[in-house]
Amino acid sequence: MDSVDGKVVWSYAGFAPILVRYLQNRLGYVINGKELFKSGEMMLGNMKHELWDFQKDAVQEWIDSGCYGIIKAPTGAGKTQNGCAIIKRMETRTIICVHTADLLIGVWFNRLIEQFGEGIRNKIGIIGGGLTKRDRKIMRVCGDGFEENIGKDIVIATSQSLLNRLSDLGRQRFGLLVYDEIHHAPAEQFKKVVNAIRAPARVGLSATLLRGDGMSPMMQGLIGDVVYRIGIRELVKKGILVEPIFSTIIIDDEECKSKIGKSQIRRGMNDMERANRAKQI
């Protein structure tokens, strides 16, 4: 057998696409077999709402960084709007990962309809969120079958709902992964989901990148570096957000004070009991 002048790099199935994009776009490697990471394309209408200039900058920085990385912006800065703009720019099969039913339906599903119109409903698959058949009928989306939903052009799913279908998830080819509240991704179970998803383009969205368990750097390993960040004070100066006002609540009611104090004492005693039981075990 003739020798091949090249290198073989092993990685998780889901991480392979981001590795391919990094080697090609950042380091200039010639990659063979890229067709393995291609996914279907889709056509979307124009977005109904325009982006603010700082949102346009965030999207462009993400694109210039090779179409992977994290956008950090405070609550109220329109990170979902950034995500919709990126989905529009890529126009490829997309999976959106969230960690609550409220983000699944109240934020992403509703925002996609708002931005791209009613015609996008038949392109969306929803996995998780505790939806009943009646809920799905009212929302005018497909049934609750996993295969039916995972095969859609845009899949919105809770990470919890994907944990038991990792092998099936790994067989899907997406062009884009949008992970909302990316600071949740380093959790042991959620990390498995990210590793299983085959998507060469990845964007993480979050208002905070700090974790109490010291696993914050894992976010960069799963999604990429922070490619754009903007703070609340800068957005206040731009007139996008209002200056927050912090107030201290003083309780003068003696009965309320007594109840709060007793509650704190009971909680402290319960904590001590749990700690003692743990020592005995």
Side-chain angles (χ1 to χ4, degrees), residues 3-118:
S3 62
V4 178
D5 184 16
K7 296 181 179 180
V8 176
V9 180
W10 296 96
S11 76
Y12 288 107
F15 189 71
I18 191 173
L19 180 60
V20 166
R21 187 174 286 273
Y22 180 82
L23 292 172
Q24 176 181 277
N25 294 3
R26 291 288 188 87
L27 302 183
Y29 277 77
V30 176
I31 308 297
N32 295 321
K34 286 184 293 183
E35 64 277 1
L36 294 175
F37 306 103
K38 288 183 179 179
S39 64
E41 298 179 351
M42 63 177 174
M43 296 295 294
L44 294 173
N46 293 328
M47 289 179 60
K48 183 177 180 180
H49 302 292
E50 286 289 326
L51 299 182
W52 294 96
D53 287 341
F54 79 91
Q55 292 173 323
K56 293 177 182 178
D57 292 342
V59 173
Q60 192 59 52
E61 287 290 339
W62 179 80
I63 291 171
D64 292 344
S65 298
C67 295
Y68 56 85
I70 297 170
I71 295 174
K72 181 182 181 297
T75 302
K79 292 185 291 297
T80 308
Q81 183 88 333
N82 278 128
C84 288
I86 287 172
I87 292 171
K88 170 60 182 173
R89 288 288 293 266
M90 300 299 291
E91 290 195 320
T92 184
R93 281 199 73 212
T94 298
I95 183 166
I96 303 167
C97 285
V98 299
H99 70 285
T100 67
D102 180 58
L103 287 172
L104 183 89
I105 303 163
V107 176
W108 279 100
F109 178 76
N110 289 341
R111 186 59 59 85
L112 287 169
I113 301 296
E114 177 187 324
Q115 287 292 351
F116 299 109
E118 292 293 323

Side-chain angles (χ1 to χ4, degrees), residues 246-251:
F246 300 95
S247 299
T248 301
I249 299 175
I250 300 174
I251 301 175

Side-chain angles (χ1 to χ4, degrees), residues 118-135:
E118 292 293 323
I120 200 175
R121 284 183 191 270
N122 61 1
K123 297 179 183 289
I124 297 176
I126 298 177
I127 301 174
L131 296 178
T132 64
K133 286 182 170 59
R134 183 172 180 274
D135 293 331

